Amino acid sequence: MALLIRNGEIVTASTRAIADIRCDGETITAIGRDLEAPAGAEEIDASGKLVFPGFVDPHTHIHLPFMGTFAKDTYTTASRAALVGGTTCFIDFCIPERDEDPRVALETWRAKSDGQSACDYSFHIAVTRFDDAVADALREIVREGITSFKVFLAYKGAFGIDDEALYRTLALARSLGVLTCAHCENEDAIALEQARLLAAGETGPGAHHESRPPIVEAEGVHHLVTFAELTGAPVYIVHLSCAEALDIAVRAKHRGVAVTVETLIQYLLLDKSWAERPNFEGAKYVMSPPLRDATNQRVLWDAIRHGAIDVVATDHAPFDFADQKTMGRDDFTKIPNGIPSLENRVELLYTHGPAAGRIDLHRFVDVASTQPAKRFGLFPRKGSIQVGSDADLVVWDPARRRTITASEQEMNVDYNPFEGFEIVGGADVVTVRGEVAVRDGAFVGTIGRGRFVAREPNAVG
Amino acid sequence: MALLIRNGEIVTASTRAIADIRCDGETITAIGRDLEAPAGAEEIDASGKLVFPGFVDPHTHIHLPFMGTFAKDTYTTASRAALVGGTTCFIDFCIPERDEDPRVALETWRAKSDGQSACDYSFHIAVTRFDDAVADALREIVREGITSFKVFLAYKGAFGIDDEALYRTLALARSLGVLTCAHCENEDAIALEQARLLAAGETGPGAHHESRPPIVEAEGVHHLVTFAELTGAPVYIVHLSCAEALDIAVRAKHRGVAVTVETLIQYLLLDKSWAERPNFEGAKYVMSPPLRDATNQRVLWDAIRHGAIDVVATDHAPFDFADQKTMGRDDFTKIPNGIPSLENRVELLYTHGPAAGRIDLHRFVDVASTQPAKRFGLFPRKGSIQVGSDADLVVWDPARRRTITASEQEMNVDYNPFEGFEIVGGADVVTVRGEVAVRDGAFVGTIGRGRFVAREPNAVG
Amino acid sequence: MALLIRNGEIVTASTRAIADIRCDGETITAIGRDLEAPAGAEEIDASGKLVFPGFVDPHTHIHLPFMGTFAKDTYTTASRAALVGGTTCFIDFCIPERDEDPRVALETWRAKSDGQSACDYSFHIAVTRFDDAVADALREIVREGITSFKVFLAYKGAFGIDDEALYRTLALARSLGVLTCAHCENEDAIALEQARLLAAGETGPGAHHESRPPIVEAEGVHHLVTFAELTGAPVYIVHLSCAEALDIAVRAKHRGVAVTVETLIQYLLLDKSWAERPNFEGAKYVMSPPLRDATNQRVLWDAIRHGAIDVVATDHAPFDFADQKTMGRDDFTKIPNGIPSLENRVELLYTHGPAAGRIDLHRFVDVASTQPAKRFGLFPRKGSIQVGSDADLVVWDPARRRTITASEQEMNVDYNPFEGFEIVGGADVVTVRGEVAVRDGAFVGTIGRGRFVAREPNAVG
Amino acid sequence: MALLIRNGEIVTASTRAIADIRCDGETITAIGRDLEAPAGAEEIDASGKLVFPGFVDPHTHIHLPFMGTFAKDTYTTASRAALVGGTTCFIDFCIPERDEDPRVALETWRAKSDGQSACDYSFHIAVTRFDDAVADALREIVREGITSFKVFLAYKGAFGIDDEALYRTLALARSLGVLTCAHCENEDAIALEQARLLAAGETGPGAHHESRPPIVEAEGVHHLVTFAELTGAPVYIVHLSCAEALDIAVRAKHRGVAVTVETLIQYLLLDKSWAERPNFEGAKYVMSPPLRDATNQRVLWDAIRHGAIDVVATDHAPFDFADQKTMGRDDFTKIPNGIPSLENRVELLYTHGPAAGRIDLHRFVDVASTQPAKRFGLFPRKGSIQVGSDADLVVWDPARRRTITASEQEMNVDYNPFEGFEIVGGADVVTVRGEVAVRDGAFVGTIGRGRFVAREPNAVG
């Protein structure tokens, strides 16, 4: 297998040059002018196009069991969706039941993914209980290349952990060089607010964000960074949604705490009024943290530009409107949380980021590919276009235009939260380790080509 | 002319890979494995070495007339010093007298530099007066490729400008896509504090920092970012030295003002106690802003790591201790301000940065090469290792060790403020557009090879 | 002359008790239960009423020459308005021309006020130029009991002073124990913004606030507190209007700078939309700093409650709409700045403060009477109900209701900016040093009874 | 019983005047000049003296069971100590066991205090568990005049409550108009830090503050204010000790959360080096929150002056060094927490406050008497000198000088943490509801005269 991409404008997080890219086997072997094609190489003309490293989504929930149902996408449908959207690698959250051995949960996740994916993937392992047995299991899991933990400060009674478990998880993570992801909302506060709202008859989707206001997320972030500072462990704040939480995270960075901040594409483009749409339409926009006041969007974009936010991900969690979201028709607390966006993250970020002048192309690549790869130990295999890296490449046509619609999507879910959004640019060709998986914007890849990527622990406090 | 650097670990602001670099003429043409050497190419074995893009110092004062004398380095001595230290391009400040046509000043600077430099260079043009004639001259200067302005909020009676001139300069800069650098200290406050201290008999070098405390710098920064926000012009804060000023700059970034922050290598490593050394030794450490309390150093390093500080420069301004610094023996306000550090910036930053675990290699390259190049329109010619860029390369041996001493330096000045500092790593080979200018750490280049680099206006508000 | 006020609920900044107040001559001599009336005393039954110390307005402009015209109120009309509104003492700004001896200006002010006022008053002296002669004059003026200075950082070409004058004024003030008031807006920035707006055809009243945005006021405050910290002089920020400026002031307080913050009643109740009213009606609401976004009102009320704001004043500056405000019909920069509110401050603050639950009665008395008296050396003569204080008393009926209308006002101006505002409570009786000046809400006092109050320097840095 | 105090300079939180005070029975009946003495009145000449309202200490632990022992002072010894120190009323914390009915605990406290105290007192009731039965008990307790709650976010396994209990307690408090006091340290974080330190062999008193760093207190404050904002309940932060926690509290005040901040006299004067004294002497200074870096002292004093801190209390908790503190000789976690300061608070605050120029006399009275009285519903009976208030008066001689020593103290404990501190000023005479209890600095009062003071709920969110 060999590939030569000619004359594209190669853009990484820091470089930008027109050149050819040669790939031998699965790997990039040279970048230069007028390179000779290897024998039998497929040649792709990228003149007038941009060439990006494959995008990395570090935050997905594929076929997640949640509230008695499952997120709809399988590794097959999710990976197809990822690839047509330019994402060539994602990291999925493996979440054990509270009393389950994490290794057993991991087997479940492996069973869902082995041979099912068209693109590469890795796992985070959630810590939903902490004792010596769990610690032993975690050490073994880290040795297998799953080098990031996840903790929930939210979801009372489901996945959340108490402060002792948090402290001990972080101490273990630090000793192993593992980065700990955290969902930062105070679970007890939310449960009580939910009860208060339901008791007051506020049962609709619009009550969801009322039950988890920005101060609850800010409190979660403050809690997390305090424990990070105490233990010296680096932490990764998932799905930060608002100025209040960002302010706490930034202050922590400024006093030397090792904090990485992730926001989601939806927080940059949607506000809470979407969750207040009539006829239960708002349920399509119920997620946690919830959508916020529109004023936060400018704050988040500024933070991406100047570096306070490091990563833009999806928290992809697709639930059908027709028969899943509707579980909460009479009680917003029963609406499965989450929206689909794995397929659309990159094109939305491109359209509203570099194409709109909010960030430059380097920062676009950085937050959607390079930083996720680096923070989670995928770099230099992923996240860059350089010699020796996996030939995960995206040939991007800035001249493409399209309108998002659920009717044309690869994601296995019956709606798209960005229905009708106009898009600028798009992926012409996407490769997975040197094999073309998307051509002219359509999936032409191979289910089963995608592989689990073992990662080295590389987190530094 | 051709060059092949084999097997080095190429590190840019975002990439890192072991590969060969081929240069044809003055330009990088390919990066790959087992590249074929062009005919007649010099081959350099970089196995076990790092290869960095040539470092860029955006803040120097070569042969600056100041306080009735001149900074000692010429373009010849400065460029030799830059190159042995790994810096392959610097941007010097051309500073007109208050009533001088800036084009005339520029001729003076060209006369100093044409044919005198071993490495490439460019100019910033200082705005020391603003009227319609000056504005016309500035437009012409920008068209010639000098696309950055400099204003002084300090130096009463010399170079400082008033608020109307500041506003109009920024408005012009914005319209031209020019980035405006600013020295942020309140000149009048300092003049009065100086008078107060002298009247109180405090005439020694240690009074210098007393006369310009952190709040005066913070006030200057607050002033600047207010005008930047009013006019929509992007601004570049030169030589930020302390937490108080950083705090104001960061707040401005967070509300969307286009602010770039530069600190200097000396603020990261020296504190004000150096300026209080006996026997007038402190005069060697008199600069503006002055050295600060040691607590600021941790703040500045953290800010480099998490991106609040964008650039590390030198403000290189060498004055001999013996007969220049001594002009202020009886009156600290007559000590020429400045220290030499052009030769040592990169090695000091490497030693105390990546080698000490404070920042990673990518951030090191970013703040010392890529960001200065990008902010000032030198990229992609400078600041990166990529196809099409100038072959300004540094082969860096991490195993080198040395001790800084004035007796061995290329800089034309009779002391080194870092005398006795232990250094880790160093440049084996440095190239200037494909020609080897440093070999085994010693200068072997050509005076006159260095060229003025015209830049495109690229600043965005 | 003797007076006995029976059974009122006496409220000071810290005390609250039902008791009788006995006054002999001009002074309070006893507070107690069932006090015996002095011979010939007038007895006032205050059962069911509140008794407050006379309110103090530290910020008025009586018959101020401004923009070629005069503020309309004389000491006679102003003092009548003050008294019916419950204000028994005001401090007026004496503002010399730039090249005028301040003692001459003071003579002008004395000529306007001697024998013309029904209530007591004092002066601040503005420093519009600073040199040794001015300094001598200021020392003399302070000895005469005018113990507060005023500086303008705004009003280019009129009253503003440069940084050297600011520094020297503050240093002098500190040495004399004098408090320096400052108008904190950057004059040059505003002048340029005004020119920009006029050039763009924005000539109406709504452009006034566009020309002086919050960041310009914040910049002024930052500038002032920096100089206060440098010189160790206490400062008093007049008419603070917005969150951005408050934030800077509060940070300064927190690092130990001696800052007093005054806001105006209008900033608490009006927003900038009033200045955008059609038919040039907006001109009635043109003042500096300008009215702000409504979001600032909550911030200012909170700041009053928790002590970040110390004083609520008026900046009373009445200009007729018909023939004064209209001077700026074609150019907003020619609209005389200011609104009348001397008569309404106390009732508006009561209605929207304690009567609405935003602050308690003690804080109401504190910010409108006690703090102005204390900060400016009027205490203990003014600002309190205690033995030995001037018998300046307000018997307040919380049951009164009225609607503000210009047609019934004492102020000599042809509109009221609060026209139609509903009022809760009001002054039944107001006394001036033991003499009843308001009875049943109507003026019954004596023109000429009001006296200049000499003050002791008492400011501490 | 009648009393006439002649010619003292009466100072309250806002007033200051030389006058006589007449008391009939237990109450102040008149303040005036040359008052006639009631029949049989004791006359005290206060010429040249200050007269303050009796000071109020809202934070004591009298005979508290703690760690298997008891705080040493009884109501008898504590009230004698309070009175000679100028404190005429204190509020003690009644702390139920976790599974104890709060009414039973209250009976225990009543049994300790009834007839045992020489001065008045009241109780806070701690909420150490929350369920419907507890809520009913609390409602009953509030009806009995105990209108303030206390929660501990610290002390794992002893008194701490979880977030659901915190939320419900605050919601109940808000509905009842009750103010909730909170000990703000994260209990789990501390327990783990303690275990870590002990495991590392750090067993001495100096490890105590290592185990509870400022960020842990700041986290507790952040947690509390979040719940206060969610529930709309006013909160009172007890014993705030450091800049980090103050910063969070102040931000909450600024966004409108009803937060009262208390610090302790010891945090103003002692730093953590005292807890590091050799020979286990440091154990005398073990308290929670612990003593901090000396830099915090200036921050706390500034905050008192400008109003960010509202109350200065003691957290009086006396444990003998000889046989109680020594319980922790081999394990710092077993050292009983607390120091005695009830007797010394007022004189220390006077000496280092108004006598040293850090705050004025009004603010001194405010934070040590008036604010505690007002915040907790004791006003207007306590905390002021005004008609109708209890005649709790302190005649203070500013000319007194003494040195603190345990050998002369009334407190029943074998050391004084301020041993050797020089004192300026002191109480000559102290009265308890009109009866002289201290004369010439010595206790002459009556055990049993002190009464429980029932309070009205008055807290506003």
Side-chain angles (χ1 to χ4, degrees), chain B residues 59-372:
Chain B
H59 191 156
T60 65
H61 296 290
I62 309 303
H63 214 246
L64 175 75
F66 188 65
M67 293 178 155
T69 184
F70 285 83
K72 288 292 298 294
D73 270 318
T74 62
Y75 274 73
T76 296
T77 59
S79 63
R80 289 174 59 109
L83 284 166
V84 299
T87 294
T88 57
C89 185
F90 57 81
I91 315 182
D92 198 41
F93 284 93
C94 170
I95 305 176
E97 297 293 309
R98 194 185 282 275
D99 50 4
E100 188 179 29
D101 185 317
R103 288 166 295 204
V104 173
L106 198 53
E107 284 318 298
T108 306
W109 254 257
R110 289 196 193 277
K112 295 183 196 202
S113 55
D114 277 3
Q116 311 290 310
S117 181
C119 70
D120 288 353
Y121 55 89
S122 190
F123 303 122
H124 310 284
I125 183 76
V127 181
T128 53
R129 194 181 87 238
F130 194 95
D131 53 31
D132 290 345
V134 168
D136 286 342
L138 291 171
R139 282 190 195 90
E140 185 180 325
I141 287 169
V142 169
R143 282 194 297 271
E144 291 176 17
I146 294 167
T147 58
S148 44
F149 295 160
K150 165 73 176 288
V151 295
F152 294 82
L153 309 184
Y155 299 118
K156 183 184 176 80
F159 313 125
I161 59 172
D162 68 17
D163 282 356
E164 179 173 347
L166 175 60
Y167 183 101
R168 294 183 63 192
T169 300
L170 290 172
L172 176 66
R174 189 198 181 191
S175 73
L176 297 175
V178 155
L179 183 59
T180 302
C181 305
H183 179 138
C184 295
E185 293 182 294
N186 184 302
E187 69 171 305
D188 291 328
I190 290 165
L192 289 155
E193 288 289 290
Q194 288 176 334
R196 180 181 63 77
L197 287 159
L198 289 175
E202 298 191 39
T203 60
H208 176 73
H209 54 248
E210 295 300 324
S211 75
R212 39 210 327 147
I215 55 168
V216 167
E217 184 182 351
E219 160 64 11
V221 170
H222 197 278
H223 197 79
L224 178 73
V225 297
T226 301
F227 278 74
E229 190 166 353
L230 282 174
T231 57
V235 291
Y236 179 100
I237 299 168
V238 296
H239 52 43
L240 185 136
S241 73
C242 60
E244 289 85 348
L246 181 64
D247 182 60
I248 305 287
V250 166
R251 287 172 192 281
K253 285 187 174 192
H254 277 248
R255 64 175 193 267
V257 186
V259 177
T260 301
V261 178
E262 171 197 282
T263 191
L264 306 180
I265 187 66
Q266 45 267 38
Y267 298 133
L268 296 170
L269 301 174
L270 304 175
D271 67 35
K272 69 183 183 187
S273 68
W274 292 81
E276 295 163 350
R277 302 182 94 187
N279 299 322
F280 201 61
E281 281 277 312
K284 294 177 178 174
Y285 299 91
V286 165
M287 67 195 82
S288 295
L291 297 173
R292 304 294 190 186
D293 285 333
T295 52
N296 290 285
Q297 294 174 13
R298 162 102 195 252
V299 173
L300 297 177
W301 279 109
D302 281 341
I304 291 172
R305 188 168 60 246
H306 60 57
I309 289 178
D310 304 289
V311 171
V312 177
T314 62
D315 195 8
H316 179 71
F319 293 97
D320 275 343
F321 180 66
D323 60 355
Q324 291 183 307
K325 290 284 187 179
T326 46
M327 288 159 53
R329 187 172 285 281
D330 301 322
D331 177 351
F332 71 88
T333 68
K334 296 193 164 56
I335 302 170
N337 281 207
I339 66 167
S341 55
L342 178 57
E343 188 167 348
N344 309 112
R345 175 183 65 125
V346 175
E347 63 185 355
L348 285 164
L349 188 64
Y350 181 87
T351 300
H352 293 276
R358 289 197 181 89
I359 53 175
D360 69 14
L361 282 173
H362 299 294
R363 191 71 187 133
F364 162 70
V365 171
D366 204 24
V367 297
S369 173
T370 311
Q371 286 303 321

Side-chain angles (χ1 to χ4, degrees), chain C residues 6 19 53 61-62 92 98 166 176 217 235 259 270 327 380 437:
Chain C
R6 288 221 181 273
H61 296 289
I62 310 303
D92 199 42
R98 195 185 283 275
L166 174 60
L176 297 174
E217 184 182 351
V235 292
V259 177
L270 304 174
M327 288 159 52

Side-chain angles (χ1 to χ4, degrees), chain C residues 114-397:
Chain C
D114 277 2
Q116 311 290 311
S117 180
C119 71
D120 289 352
Y121 56 89
S122 190
F123 302 121
H124 309 285
I125 184 75
V127 180
T128 53
R129 193 181 87 239
F130 195 95
D131 54 30
D132 290 345
V134 168
D136 285 342
L138 292 172
R139 283 191 194 89
E140 186 180 324
I141 287 169
V142 169
R143 281 193 299 270
E144 292 176 17
I146 295 166
T147 58
S148 44
F149 296 159
K150 165 76 175 287
V151 294
F152 295 82
L153 308 183
Y155 299 119
K156 183 184 175 80
F159 312 125
I161 58 172
D162 69 16
D163 283 356
E164 179 173 347
L166 174 60
Y167 184 101
R168 294 183 63 192
T169 299
L170 290 172
L172 176 66
R174 189 197 182 192
S175 73
L176 297 174
V178 155
L179 183 58
T180 302
C181 306
H183 178 139
C184 295
E185 293 181 295
N186 184 304
E187 69 171 306
D188 292 328
I190 291 165
L192 289 155
E193 289 289 290
Q194 288 176 333
R196 180 181 63 78
L197 288 158
L198 290 175
E202 297 191 41
T203 61
H208 176 73
H209 53 249
E210 296 299 326
S211 75
R212 38 207 330 144
I215 54 168
V216 166
E217 184 182 351
E219 160 64 11
V221 171
H222 198 278
H223 196 80
L224 178 72
V225 298
T226 301
F227 278 74
E229 191 167 353
L230 281 175
T231 58
V235 292
Y236 179 100
I237 299 168
V238 297
H239 52 44
L240 185 137
S241 72
C242 60
E244 289 85 348
L246 180 65
D247 181 60
I248 304 287
V250 166
R251 286 171 194 281
K253 285 187 173 192
H254 277 249
R255 64 176 193 267
V257 186
V259 177
T260 301
V261 177
E262 172 198 281
T263 191
L264 307 181
I265 187 66
Q266 44 269 38
Y267 298 133
L268 296 169
L269 301 174
L270 304 174
D271 67 34
K272 69 183 184 187
S273 68
W274 292 80
E276 295 163 351
R277 301 184 93 187
N279 300 323
F280 201 62
E281 280 277 313
K284 294 177 178 173
Y285 299 91
V286 165
M287 67 196 81
S288 297
L291 296 174
R292 303 295 189 187
D293 285 334
T295 52
N296 290 286
Q297 295 174 13
R298 161 100 196 255
V299 173
L300 297 177
W301 279 109
D302 280 341
I304 291 172
R305 188 169 60 246
H306 60 58
I309 289 177
D310 304 289
V311 170
V312 177
T314 63
D315 196 7
H316 179 72
F319 294 97
D320 276 344
F321 179 66
D323 60 356
Q324 292 183 306
K325 289 285 188 180
T326 45
M327 288 159 52
R329 189 172 283 280
D330 301 322
D331 176 351
F332 71 88
T333 69
K334 296 192 164 56
I335 302 170
N337 282 207
I339 67 169
S341 56
L342 177 57
E343 189 167 347
N344 309 112
R345 175 183 64 127
V346 175
E347 63 186 355
L348 286 165
L349 188 65
Y350 181 86
T351 300
H352 293 276
R358 288 197 182 88
I359 55 175
D360 69 14
L361 281 173
H362 299 294
R363 192 68 187 135
F364 162 69
V365 171
D366 203 24
V367 295
S369 174
T370 311
Q371 286 303 321
K374 286 191 169 171
R375 305 277 172 164
F376 288 114
L378 291 167
F379 180 86
R381 290 186 56 184
K382 311 293 188 189
S384 189
I385 299 179
Q386 59 184 43
V387 171
S389 291
D390 286 350
D392 293 352
L393 297 164
V394 177
V395 179
W396 187 267
D397 185 354

Side-chain angles (χ1 to χ4, degrees), chain A residues 195-415:
Chain A
R196 180 181 64 76
L197 287 158
L198 290 175
E202 297 191 41
T203 61
H208 176 74
H209 53 248
E210 296 299 324
S211 74
R212 38 208 328 145
I215 55 168
V216 167
E217 184 182 351
E219 160 64 11
V221 170
H222 197 279
H223 197 80
L224 177 73
V225 298
T226 301
F227 278 73
E229 191 167 353
L230 281 175
T231 58
V235 292
Y236 180 101
I237 299 167
V238 296
H239 52 44
L240 186 137
S241 72
C242 60
E244 290 85 348
L246 181 64
D247 182 60
I248 306 287
V250 166
R251 287 171 193 281
K253 284 188 174 192
H254 277 249
R255 63 176 194 267
V257 186
V259 177
T260 301
V261 178
E262 172 198 282
T263 191
L264 307 181
I265 188 65
Q266 46 267 40
Y267 297 132
L268 296 170
L269 301 174
L270 304 174
D271 67 34
K272 69 183 184 186
S273 68
W274 291 81
E276 294 163 352
R277 302 183 92 186
N279 300 323
F280 201 62
E281 280 277 312
K284 294 177 179 174
Y285 299 90
V286 165
M287 68 196 82
S288 296
L291 296 174
R292 304 294 188 187
D293 285 334
T295 52
N296 290 286
Q297 294 173 13
R298 161 102 196 252
V299 173
L300 297 177
W301 279 109
D302 280 341
I304 291 172
R305 189 168 59 246
H306 60 58
I309 289 178
D310 304 289
V311 171
V312 177
T314 62
D315 195 8
H316 179 71
F319 293 97
D320 275 344
F321 181 67
D323 59 357
Q324 292 183 306
K325 290 286 187 180
T326 46
M327 291 159 52
R329 188 172 283 281
D330 301 322
D331 176 351
F332 71 88
T333 69
K334 296 192 165 55
I335 302 169
N337 281 208
I339 66 168
S341 55
L342 178 56
E343 189 167 348
N344 309 111
R345 175 183 64 127
V346 174
E347 63 185 356
L348 286 164
L349 187 64
Y350 182 86
T351 300
H352 294 276
R358 289 196 181 89
I359 54 175
D360 69 14
L361 282 172
H362 299 294
R363 192 69 188 136
F364 162 70
V365 170
D366 204 24
V367 295
S369 174
T370 311
Q371 287 302 321
K374 285 190 170 171
R375 306 277 172 163
F376 288 114
L378 291 166
F379 179 86
R381 288 187 56 182
K382 311 292 188 188
S384 189
I385 299 179
Q386 60 184 44
V387 172
S389 291
D390 287 351
D392 293 353
L393 297 165
V394 177
V395 179
W396 187 267
D397 185 354
R400 277 184 176 255
R401 294 292 180 279
R402 80 177 196 100
T403 303
I404 292 178
T405 177
S407 64
E408 297 175 3
Q409 73 194 7
E410 293 284 349
M411 298 184 293
N412 180 32
V413 58
D414 67 357
Y415 75 103

Side-chain angles (χ1 to χ4, degrees), chain D residues 190-227:
Chain D
I190 291 165
L192 289 154
E193 289 288 290
Q194 288 177 333
R196 180 180 64 77
L197 288 159
L198 289 175
E202 297 191 39
T203 61
H208 176 74
H209 53 248
E210 296 298 325
S211 75
R212 38 208 329 147
I215 55 169
V216 166
E217 184 182 351
E219 161 63 11
V221 171
H222 198 278
H223 197 79
L224 178 73
V225 298
T226 301
F227 278 73

Side-chain angles (χ1 to χ4, degrees), chain D residues 133-280:
Chain D
V134 168
D136 286 341
L138 291 172
R139 282 191 195 90
E140 186 180 324
I141 288 169
V142 170
R143 282 194 298 272
E144 291 176 18
I146 294 166
T147 58
S148 45
F149 296 159
K150 166 75 176 286
V151 294
F152 295 83
L153 309 183
Y155 299 120
K156 183 183 175 80
F159 312 125
I161 58 172
D162 68 16
D163 282 356
E164 179 172 347
L166 174 60
Y167 184 102
R168 294 182 64 192
T169 299
L170 289 172
L172 176 66
R174 189 197 181 191
S175 73
L176 297 174
V178 154
L179 184 58
T180 302
C181 306
H183 179 140
C184 296
E185 293 182 293
N186 184 302
E187 70 172 306
D188 292 329
I190 291 165
L192 289 154
E193 289 288 290
Q194 288 177 333
R196 180 180 64 77
L197 288 159
L198 289 175
E202 297 191 39
T203 61
H208 176 74
H209 53 248
E210 296 298 325
S211 75
R212 38 208 329 147
I215 55 169
V216 166
E217 184 182 351
E219 161 63 11
V221 171
H222 198 278
H223 197 79
L224 178 73
V225 298
T226 301
F227 278 73
E229 191 167 352
L230 281 175
T231 58
V235 291
Y236 179 101
I237 298 168
V238 297
H239 51 44
L240 185 136
S241 73
C242 60
E244 288 85 349
L246 180 64
D247 181 61
I248 305 287
V250 166
R251 287 171 193 281
K253 286 187 173 190
H254 277 249
R255 63 176 193 267
V257 186
V259 177
T260 302
V261 177
E262 171 197 283
T263 191
L264 307 181
I265 188 66
Q266 46 268 38
Y267 298 132
L268 296 170
L269 301 174
L270 304 175
D271 67 34
K272 69 183 184 185
S273 68
W274 292 80
E276 295 163 350
R277 300 183 95 187
N279 300 322
F280 201 62

